[in-house]
Amino acid sequence: MTFESGYEEAYVWVWLTGAPEPVVAGRLSRDGPRLIFNYGRSYLDRENAIPIYLPELPLRTGAIAPLPNLTLPSCIRDAAPDAWGRRVILNRKFGKAREVDLERLDDLAYLLESGSDRIGALDFQRSSTEYVPRGHDAASLEQLLHVSEMIDAGVPIPQELHQALFQGSSLGGARPKAMIQEGERKYIAKFSSATDTHDVVKSEFIAMRMAALIGLDVAPVRLERVTGKDVLLIERFDRAPDKSGWSRRAMVSALTLFELDEMMARYASYQDLAEIIRHRFVAPTASLRELYGRLVFNVLCGNTDDHARNHAAFWDGQTLTLTPAYDICPQNRAGNEATQAMLIKEGNRFSKLSVCLKAAVDFLLDEDEALTLMQHQIGVVRDNLGALCDETALSEMDRNLVMRRQFLNPFIFEDAPQALKKLCASDG
């Protein structure tokens, strides 16, 4: 049962391109289980007004209902907190977050109770005339790590420590994380979890660094050691420093591009995303090759958590461009067989290079081009994986997992051309 949050509406504020300050765009209001959006007249009258996202929220007067099967516009849902952010909010309001159902609060409450420095270019306020950002108190990595461990364990945190993680309360995903700023850069900090069965933080660092070595467009990362524990810092690409503050870049997830909700995410596919890119993206040929490279690398490194919220595009009011890749994190696997979170080709999601080869045509690549791309990636992985494991000082157990189970798992080569199998087999 959803908790009666007391909120009936929220005003949506947006940072227009290059602007350091937001303007009010419209209002979300309750209509039974749905949230309806209306653009404000002042926003529609602006010469530089852009749709929050098309085709979902076109610039027009009147109420705009969510698309079928959605309870609120998906482009707005992209800016809402997911599991981790919701646990932070629940801990602040009710104490032990693990004992409180995430559905205790509704979407309006989560939008209005979360921090303002959220992903993308939106924020939510109770006022249509005064913008008051939530959660600007800075915190050290030590504080953030300490408080995240308490929330991860379901322990109520003291009132004086609530602000430490408040900025990160708008973040998506399920793992402990927070936001920090260092000079002219902003980062998302990711921490280990008490439920981890392997070194997830170092595995993600290795995968992200490897993707960059391969030549993929990925968010820069670095590994920090804080009070004896590893913290992964991912540089934010939706922010740019400005003489008056920070400008924000609007983003939408692939789930929004697909016009699907979380319950329908299992139907999301690389094949469909490639079609959207062909028709709606700037520089579609280059974007298709980039996305295909990300698909192949996800298979090579064992990242099976490549769901539709882990792909995104910048939105400028008219066109879409791929954001840098993020959340490339090898997953643990009990056996060899694995499947990707998104379908690859015609209902097939098996984590195999042979399936990726069949999908190459959807990315405007022929088989030889796809094979050359795969051979390049495999070569870079083989040449650099050991050094990256050394750099992170992985334990012997985690090193064996990364090098023998996650990266280049034998299952991915089943049914693959002999040239790829030989390339892997030649690895001493």
Side-chain angles (χ1 to χ4, degrees), residues 1-7 30 82-83 86-87 89-111 113:
M1 178 67 68
T2 300
F3 182 77
E4 291 293 333
S5 66
Y7 298 119
R30 194 185 302 282
D82 279 334
R86 295 183 179 213
R87 285 175 60 189
I89 293 167
L90 291 174
N91 192 294
R92 188 177 74 248
K93 291 184 70 68
F94 305 114
K96 294 183 179 181
R98 285 193 178 276
E99 298 177 5
V100 181
D101 191 334
L102 292 180
E103 299 303 315
R104 179 79 180 270
L105 295 179
D106 62 7
D107 288 320
L108 272 178
Y110 281 123
L111 291 174
E113 295 279 353

Side-chain angles (χ1 to χ4, degrees), residues 121-371:
L122 299 180
D123 193 25
F124 309 93
Q125 297 279 310
R126 300 183 67 178
S127 171
S128 63
T129 58
E130 182 183 13
Y131 180 77
V132 181
R134 298 182 296 277
H136 270 251
D137 291 350
S140 67
L141 271 177
E142 289 83 356
Q143 288 176 305
L144 293 169
L145 176 62
H146 175 57
V147 178
S148 71
E149 289 176 335
M150 295 178 71
I151 290 178
D152 190 38
V155 177
I157 60 178
Q159 188 63 37
E160 63 270 18
L161 295 179
H162 276 303
Q163 284 299 109
L165 272 190
F166 186 69
Q167 280 283 32
S169 62
S170 57
L171 289 170
R175 295 190 55 77
K177 58 181 69 69
M179 294 183 184
I180 67 167
Q181 176 180 333
E182 291 183 356
E184 294 189 346
R185 288 183 171 85
K186 289 195 173 191
Y187 297 89
I188 293 175
K190 289 188 174 182
F191 311 111
S192 61
S193 170
T195 60
D196 288 345
T197 57
H198 67 284
D199 199 326
V200 177
V201 170
K202 288 182 178 178
S203 290
E204 183 169 352
F205 171 80
I206 290 170
M208 293 286 286
R209 283 283 304 277
M210 187 71 76
L213 290 173
I214 281 170
L216 296 175
D217 180 19
V218 298
V221 296
R222 77 173 197 258
L223 201 61
E224 292 285 330
R225 191 74 173 167
V226 180
T227 62
K229 298 185 178 180
D230 295 303
V231 178
L232 178 65
L233 297 181
I234 306 103
E235 187 173 336
R236 293 182 64 173
F237 46 73
D238 62 334
R239 295 290 185 270
D242 182 273
K243 60 183 179 181
S244 303
W246 295 84
S247 61
R248 307 190 181 196
R249 296 192 69 178
M251 291 170 49
V252 289
S253 71
L255 199 61
T256 293
L257 301 179
F258 292 136
E259 300 183 1
L260 298 173
D261 67 2
E262 275 79 7
M263 299 301 294
M264 302 294 287
R266 65 185 180 278
Y267 298 112
S269 74
Y270 282 98
Q271 189 175 11
D272 290 342
L273 184 52
E275 183 175 359
I276 292 171
I277 288 174
R278 288 198 300 272
H279 291 292
R280 299 191 59 199
F281 275 54
V282 172
T285 301
S287 296
L288 286 168
R289 186 177 182 87
E290 172 70 21
L291 180 62
Y292 188 73
R294 295 180 189 184
L295 163 60
V296 171
F297 184 66
N298 283 333
V299 171
L300 290 181
C301 76
N303 174 34
T304 55
D305 192 36
D306 55 341
H307 56 78
R309 285 207 185 277
N310 280 343
H311 299 274
F314 292 122
W315 166 252
D316 66 3
Q318 294 182 318
T319 58
L320 295 159
T321 54
L322 279 177
T323 71
Y326 56 95
D327 283 355
I328 303 177
C329 186
Q331 304 294 303
N332 207 353
R333 56 208 294 174
N336 284 336
E337 185 176 299
T339 55
Q340 299 304 123
M342 288 212 316
L343 296 162
I344 299 173
K345 177 73 173 179
E346 295 173 352
N348 192 335
R349 66 175 83 241
F350 278 113
S351 307
K352 294 183 177 182
L353 294 177
S354 61
V355 181
C356 296
L357 274 175
K358 292 177 182 177
V361 64
D362 299 317
F363 299 82
L364 305 183
L365 297 171
D366 61 32
E367 185 171 317
D368 287 341
E369 290 173 316
L371 278 171

